[in-house]
Amino acid sequence: MTARILVAYATKKGSTAEIAGAIGKELQSLGHEVTVKEMKEVMALEKYDGIVLGAPVYMGKMIGIGKFVKRFRERLAAKPVAVFAVGTAPVSHDQKQIDDETRLPSASVAPQQPASTALFAGVVDPEKFGFFMRKMVGAEKSMVGDFRDWEAIAAWARDLPGKMGL
Ligand SMILES: Cc1cc2nc3c(=O)[nH]c(=O)nc-3n(C[C@H](O)[C@H](O)[C@H](O)COP(=O)(O)O)c2cc1C
């Protein structure tokens, strides 16, 4: 069956937007009708059968998603929801940070239970940040790069319709 799926994302530097685009493409290739949009551009949820939300982690928090969930709390509760976070935690070798951030997608829509969650590795490009950010990131050189695992992202997307009951 063809489902209408919204992939709504927040982003500061664009890497989460590209992941949302890849998820949208994968869902589309399965025959679904997909809209990929920045969260702040989303005006209504009525026309969608399922919602995928994605946001990057900055300073231990997913940005943008709290506001979105607050705005659409009731509508969201009536639909299957999946949530992904993007950050450098997966490549940090810091197990506590990985554990903490693995819980963020679920926590972001609580008390609603998401059908599926993921924490994907993102991008750190010091060129895109100001002087202080460059200094911060520069302290850990191994954390600079594009760590996005497109195969893992596509695999997660392929499982979504089944998990979301679409
Ligand atoms: C100032 C700053 C703070 C960050 N804080 C975190 C963090 O707490 N946890 C994490 O996993 N990643 C953190 N990151 C990495 C970002 O989540 C990563 O760069 C992500 O790909 C950014 O997404 P965007 O391009 O969509 O904005 C941080 C990056 C910057 C520049």
Side-chain angles (χ1 to χ4, degrees):
M1 202 193 77
T2 301
R4 292 159 304 173
I5 304 173
L6 171 68
V7 183
Y9 62 87
T11 190
K12 276 195 192 185
K13 301 292 170 188
S15 64
T16 307
E18 288 169 359
I19 293 174
I23 290 168
K25 245 189 186 159
E26 198 64 36
L27 291 169
Q28 223 160 16
S29 76
L30 297 174
H32 299 291
E33 203 181 293
V34 184
T35 303
V36 180
K37 255 191 189 179
E38 193 159 7
M39 282 179 193
K40 52 189 177 201
E41 307 294 333
V42 176
M43 294 304 151
L45 300 184
E46 283 86 341
K47 60 182 172 200
Y48 304 110
D49 303 309
I51 319 282
V52 182
L53 298 175
V57 182
Y58 281 86
M59 306 294 178
K61 290 203 171 86
M62 287 175 77
I63 62 154
I65 195 165
K67 210 168 169 184
F68 184 90
V69 169
K70 218 170 164 182
R71 244 171 91 207
F72 292 112
R73 170 70 70 194
E74 271 175 41
R75 294 274 175 208
L76 212 53
K79 320 238 179 208
V81 171
V83 189
F84 68 93
V86 178
T88 44
V91 289
S92 70
H93 307 294
D94 177 341
Q95 196 54 47
K96 171 150 186 352
Q97 192 190 7
I98 295 169
D99 291 346
D100 286 350
E101 295 195 10
T102 299
R103 282 190 285 268
L104 289 178
S106 254
S108 69
V109 291
Q112 186 167 0
Q113 296 273 341
S116 182
T117 62
L119 173 63
F120 295 125
V123 175
V124 174
D125 177 356
E127 297 307 315
K128 287 192 177 172
F129 295 97
F131 175 73
F132 287 105
M133 294 304 182
R134 273 203 293 279
K135 270 194 102 158
M136 262 185 62
V137 173
E140 235 189 296
K141 288 253 175 347
S142 63
M143 300 290 286
V144 172
D146 185 345
F147 302 103
R148 290 172 296 179
D149 179 344
W150 297 109
E151 193 34 58
I153 291 163
W156 185 71
R158 277 195 293 276
D159 282 344
L160 287 179
K163 288 190 174 166
M164 295 171 86
L166 298 172

